[in-house]
Amino acid sequence: MRIPLACLLLLSATVLSQDANPGYIKFINQHINGQMRADRCDHVIRTRQITKTDSNECKETNTFIRATTNLVKPVCGLAGEPYGQLTKSLRPFDIVVCTLKSQGRYPNCQYRGQARTRKIAFRCENGLPVHYDRDIVYFEN
């Protein structure tokens, strides 16, 4: 089966433009880390330069999802369900919640990390996660 070059180029451009979405790229930087550990909050937040929006103040809380983008992205589709204006995962994810210990300025932020298993809720745009909103306690049946 032969795929015309124009179709192949169009498909490639579509995939690349999705992944070039600035909100999605920021979401990945701030919230995706498959190897995250609770004792690595300070280092990862400093390395990724995560701060309050448009400032050099330490972010109060930042949550890392211990998964790949290939597992998180489908929550904006069949692996998620409406949750008010957000989308909620159908299944729980392992996460690390980093909470600021004391007020400070980047890069001198110190966090306390806590590992949890929760469903997650975020805002999706064009089928991609762009804003992490919260984790949701779930109870198995």
Side-chain angles (χ1 to χ4, degrees), residues 30-100:
Q30 289 191 339
H31 302 294
I32 303 291
N33 187 330
Q35 304 302 314
M36 186 65 184
R37 296 189 331 242
D39 64 349
R40 303 280 294 156
C41 289
D42 295 347
H43 174 74
V44 173
I45 288 173
R46 184 173 36 258
T47 302
R48 294 186 178 196
Q49 300 178 354
I50 298 170
T51 61
K52 279 187 182 177
T53 304
D54 299 325
S55 77
N56 65 345
E57 293 181 39
C58 300
K59 195 172 177 187
E60 301 283 334
T61 303
N62 195 78
T63 301
F64 291 98
I65 305 164
R66 292 176 36 97
T68 64
T69 56
N70 289 338
L71 291 173
V72 175
K73 207 163 44 168
V75 172
C76 289
L78 297 175
E81 63 185 357
Y83 186 72
Q85 301 295 315
L86 306 170
T87 301
K88 175 178 74 171
S89 64
L90 295 176
R91 71 170 191 86
F93 283 84
D94 289 333
I95 61 173
V96 173
V97 180
C98 301
T99 306
L100 188 63

Side-chain angles (χ1 to χ4, degrees), residues 86-132:
L86 306 170
T87 301
K88 175 178 74 171
S89 64
L90 295 176
R91 71 170 191 86
F93 283 84
D94 289 333
I95 61 173
V96 173
V97 180
C98 301
T99 306
L100 188 63
K101 289 183 190 177
S102 60
Q103 287 296 351
R105 291 240 187 257
Y106 177 84
N108 301 315
C109 307
Q110 293 186 338
Y111 291 87
R112 178 177 300 109
Q114 186 176 37
R116 300 177 182 166
T117 302
R118 302 279 195 272
K119 290 187 177 183
I120 54 177
F122 43 79
R123 187 172 73 244
C124 297
E125 290 178 5
N126 300 320
L128 296 169
V130 295
H131 173 74
Y132 186 95

Side-chain angles (χ1 to χ4, degrees), residues 21-35:
N21 176 321
Y24 178 55
I25 292 169
K26 182 177 179 181
F27 179 89
I28 292 169
N29 181 61
Q30 289 191 339
H31 302 294
I32 303 291
N33 187 330
Q35 304 302 314

